């Protein structure tokens, strides 16, 4: 917050500084960069035509420009200034306090300037999914992996790292994220350690920033395994879909028994070790009723989480209980949001409460598929998306597998939101980006249509913004 005389402006400093909304989910996020500049006295400022607000309290409201600005809480004096700036003013027309506030509101995207230059394209991170094993000890109802006992070998794993880092250098990426997955990645943890240690050394030598995530079902991770993951410096992401009856129904063990208690034991073990941890929640038609209880449990323990919607797979398509009934989904999500409102966390909610949406981080594509994302299976085949892992476009032994991904016109196509029917006129387009292309393809047979979850997104976007506003009001730095 900047407490500028009587102007109060609250926003998430941490997110603003890093330029990214934390999004801890299996899919690769876009990486927008904040863009601002110093204004001159002659710069004419005006509020963005699509400026909106939602009243939070008698004295504060959340102000935002859909698909463009940062989510910002303002007091009455600041809102009055924004309204006055419906008419353009030069910076010199404003008094000293107003100028400071206006600079801030401009940086947050609530005002535009007469001499704005077109934004340069955002920097991106290269993300790689490493399918270190095809084995799993669970049989989740919505799983898209045709499981076997096969695992990635050391030779394939090390070659995969070389290929990823070579691609990063070739295409000018400054940062790389490795997602160790499967199957159940912890079943091949020694290889994960070997690969990540090697990647750390190679990335350091190449001047590339590196981060890693271990995607795990969390079943029975031992203390020693958790310590290994912590010492490796990778984020642990564990899947938990609800209280026991809901989680166990959709994430049973190989033999049919429930997995809930083993997952909770791993979560508690990770917390005892003070490890960076995120819980990934797959919300289905069957589990949404348990979501408020799960969210309350996670918030009580101060565990970061991300809510993602079920995407039908060929194997799960005829399971009617998993389908996302719009009204039931919206009601269940609203019930979970009510729980969050009663227990607002310190961390930003913008990238984790609504499937693939990143509110506050404008982007043209929903994910990095087809451009900034490589999926490498246990045999070294390279695919475009983990949900299409069987559809390889190349291998890690090809000279330039990222080029093969970028030039593929047969498999999944990640079209920009402006090219999707209905989306190009939607106010939410650059926060939503039209939803997962795989889900849209499977529902409609097209890539250039809006998401099958569009009605759910449209109903819930304002509620997520309101929740983030309340969170800022409670927790934003007022120093
Ligand atoms: S999917 Fe719906 S909410 Fe998302 S951009 Fe398209 S029209 Fe808008
Ligand atoms: S296409 Fe869909 S499932 Fe694949 S990475 Fe993108 S959002 Fe995720």
């Amino acid at each position: 917050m900047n407490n500028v005389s009587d102007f109060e402006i609250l926003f998430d400093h941490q997110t603003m500084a890093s330029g990214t909304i934390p999004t801890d989910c299996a899919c690769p996020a876009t990486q927008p960069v904040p863009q601002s500049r110093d204004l001159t006295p002659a710069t004419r400022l005006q509020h963005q035509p699509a400026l909106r607000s939602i009243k939070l309290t008698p004295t504060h409201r959340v102000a935002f420009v859909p698909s463009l600005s940062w989510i910002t809480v303002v007091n009455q004096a600041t809102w009055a200034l924004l309204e006055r700036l419906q008419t353009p003013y030069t910076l010199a027309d404003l008094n000293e306090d107003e100028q400071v506030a206006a600079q801030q509101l401009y940086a947050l995207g609530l005002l535009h300037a007469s001499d704005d230059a077109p934004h340069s394209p955002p920097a991106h991170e290269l993300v790689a999914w490493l399918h270190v094993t095809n084995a799993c000890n669970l049989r989740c109802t919505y799983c898209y992996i045709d499981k076997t006992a096969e695992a990635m070998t050391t030779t394939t794993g090390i070659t995969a790292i070389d290929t990823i880092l070579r691609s990063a250098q070739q295409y000018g990426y400054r940062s790389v994220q490795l997602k160790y997955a499967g199957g159940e990645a912890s079943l091949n943890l020694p290889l994960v350690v070997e690969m990540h240690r090697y990647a750390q050394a190679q990335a350091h030598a190449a001047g590339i920033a590196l981060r890693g995530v271990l995607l795990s079902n969390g079943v029975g991770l031992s203390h020693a395994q958790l310590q290994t993951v912590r010492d490796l410096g990778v984020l642990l992401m564990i899947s938990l879909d609800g209280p026991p009856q809901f989680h166990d129904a959709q994430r049973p063990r190989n033999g049919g028994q429930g997995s809930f208690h083993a997952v909770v034991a791993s979560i508690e073990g990770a917390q005892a070790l003070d490890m960076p941890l995120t819980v990934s929640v797959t919300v289905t038609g069957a589990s949404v009723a348990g979501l408020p209880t799960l969210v309350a449990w996670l918030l009580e323990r101060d565990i970061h989480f991300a809510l993602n919607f079920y995407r039908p797979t060929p194997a799960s398509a005829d399971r009617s209980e998993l389908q996302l009934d719009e009204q039931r989904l919206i009601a269940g999500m609203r019930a979970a949001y009510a729980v969050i409102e009663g227990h607002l966390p310190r961390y930003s909610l913008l990238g984790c409460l609504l499937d693939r949406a990143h509110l506050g981080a404008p982007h043209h594509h929903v994910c990095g598929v087809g451009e900034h994302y490589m999926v490498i299976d246990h045999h070294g085949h390279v695919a475009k998306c983990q949900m299409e892992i069987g559809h390889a476009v190349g291998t890690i032994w090809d000279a330039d597998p990222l080029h093969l991904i970028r030039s593929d016109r047969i498999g999944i196509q990640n079209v920009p939101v402006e090219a999707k029917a209905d989306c190009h006129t939607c106010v939410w387009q650059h926060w939503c980006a039209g939803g997962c292309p795989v889900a849209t393809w499977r529902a409609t047979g097209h890539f250039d249509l809006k998401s099958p979850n569009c009605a759910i997104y449209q109903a819930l976007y304002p509620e997520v913004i309101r929740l983030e506003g309340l969170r800022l009001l409670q927790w934003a730095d007022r120093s």
Side-chain angles (χ1 to χ4, degrees):
M1 187 208 80
N2 264 12
N3 205 344
V4 185
S5 66
D6 52 348
F7 297 112
E8 198 175 15
I9 302 169
L10 303 172
F11 59 95
D12 192 315
H13 280 268
Q14 206 179 343
T15 301
M16 182 85 175
S18 70
T20 56
I21 305 285
T23 52
D24 297 315
C25 107
C27 298
T30 49
Q31 295 283 307
V33 201
Q35 307 197 43
S36 193
R37 63 188 173 91
D38 288 332
L39 303 172
T40 69
T43 303
R44 292 176 77 78
L45 288 168
Q46 189 171 19
H47 79 50
Q48 295 282 1
L51 177 69
R52 291 187 184 190
S53 76
I54 300 171
K55 196 168 177 181
L56 300 174
T57 69
T59 55
H60 290 82
R61 59 181 66 224
V62 58
F64 63 101
V65 181
S67 296
L68 183 71
S69 76
W70 295 84
I71 304 297
T72 309
V73 171
V74 297
N75 66 352
Q76 285 169 320
T78 312
W79 183 249
L81 176 63
L82 278 167
E83 287 197 307
R84 183 147 66 90
L85 288 169
Q86 188 175 4
T87 307
Y89 280 75
T90 66
L91 204 57
D93 289 334
L94 303 174
N95 70 35
E96 205 174 313
D97 290 342
E98 289 170 340
Q99 286 186 16
V100 177
Q103 287 266 9
Q104 189 87 80
L105 296 168
Y106 173 74
L108 291 162
L110 298 168
L111 298 178
H112 70 85
S114 51
D115 52 355
D116 269 342
H119 279 186
S120 52
H124 283 272
E125 179 177 55
L126 180 62
V127 182
W129 172 285
L130 291 153
H131 192 75
V132 295
T133 177
N134 205 44
C136 191
N137 42 11
L138 295 191
R139 289 295 178 270
C140 301
T141 51
Y142 47 73
C143 183
Y144 50 82
I145 301 293
D146 189 10
K147 289 169 277 298
T148 63
E150 297 166 295
M152 187 180 275
T153 64
T154 300
T155 305
T156 301
I158 296 300
T159 307
I161 299 295
D162 285 336
T163 301
I164 294 161
L165 293 175
R166 187 180 73 239
S167 300
Q169 287 179 295
Q170 205 171 337
Y171 286 87
Y173 291 96
R174 306 301 306 275
S175 75
V176 165
Q177 184 181 178
L178 302 177
K179 298 194 170 201
Y180 298 99
E184 169 49 29
S186 70
L187 297 179
N188 201 4
L189 193 56
L191 179 66
V192 172
V193 174
E194 198 173 350
M195 289 170 71
H196 201 65
R197 291 272 182 242
Y198 179 73
Q200 285 170 325
Q202 298 300 312
H204 179 74
I208 293 172
L210 182 80
R211 56 192 184 126
V213 185
L214 181 76
L215 309 184
S216 171
N217 62 31
V219 173
L221 296 178
S222 68
H223 183 72
Q225 285 180 308
L226 290 168
Q227 270 182 323
T228 299
V229 175
R230 184 195 60 182
D231 296 346
L232 199 55
V234 301
L235 172 75
L236 177 61
M237 191 189 304
I238 288 180
S239 298
L240 182 66
D241 287 0
Q245 69 274 31
F246 294 96
H247 177 89
D248 289 345
Q250 57 194 39
R251 297 186 67 84
R253 289 179 191 247
N254 198 357
Q257 312 92 322
S259 61
F260 176 86
H261 294 291
V263 176
V264 167
S266 297
I267 290 173
E268 290 174 348
Q271 283 209 291
L273 286 170
D274 206 17
M275 295 172 60
L277 168 72
T278 289
V279 164
S280 175
V281 183
T282 298
V283 182
T284 71
S287 69
V288 70
L291 197 56
T293 306
L294 175 63
V295 164
W297 188 89
L298 293 166
L299 290 169
E300 275 163 24
R301 287 157 183 78
D302 200 24
I303 298 172
H304 288 227
F305 59 89
L307 307 181
N308 295 295
F309 292 167
Y310 157 72
R311 285 159 221 164
T313 66
S316 72
D318 57 354
R319 299 190 75 120
S320 58
E321 79 279 11
L322 299 178
Q323 306 307 319
L324 303 179
D325 173 76
E326 279 175 9
Q327 291 317 312
R328 198 144 49 97
L329 238 291
I330 291 169
M333 295 293 284
R334 282 188 172 137
Y337 291 173
V339 172
I340 295 169
E341 186 170 342
H343 198 134
L344 291 162
R346 286 181 179 269
Y347 53 85
S348 173
L349 297 167
L350 293 176
C352 64
L353 286 193
L354 193 48
D355 200 32
R356 299 297 306 139
H358 302 218
L359 283 76
H363 49 292
H364 299 274
H365 295 88
V366 76
C367 63
V369 159
E371 193 76 19
H372 314 292
Y373 190 39
M374 306 170 80
V375 170
I376 299 174
D377 81 1
H378 50 300
H379 297 304
H381 298 137
V382 177
K384 296 169 79 175
C385 163
Q386 70 277 4
M387 288 195 70
E388 298 274 294
I389 196 165
H391 297 156
V393 296
T395 77
I396 54 174
W397 294 278
D398 287 317
D400 188 355
L402 194 54
H403 172 72
L404 298 176
I405 285 173
R406 290 180 170 195
S407 55
D408 172 71
R409 294 291 170 265
I410 296 169
I412 172 175
Q413 301 300 310
N414 194 5
V415 301
V417 65
E418 295 84 353
K420 295 184 182 181
D422 297 326
C423 297
H424 67 278
T425 53
C426 171
V427 293
W428 307 112
Q429 61 176 282
H430 293 129
W431 284 346
C432 173
C436 164
V438 167
T440 303
W441 170 261
R442 289 181 181 170
T444 68
H446 297 272
F447 291 112
D448 56 355
L449 297 180
K450 67 180 181 179
S451 166
N453 301 324
C454 174
I456 302 171
Y457 296 153
Q458 298 222 9
L460 296 178
Y461 283 143
E463 306 201 17
V464 174
I465 292 167
R466 181 176 158 277
L467 271 183
E468 176 68 2
L470 290 170
R471 188 193 73 80
L472 287 169
L473 207 49
Q474 182 168 332
W475 292 117
D477 179 10
R478 286 183 160 81
S479 58

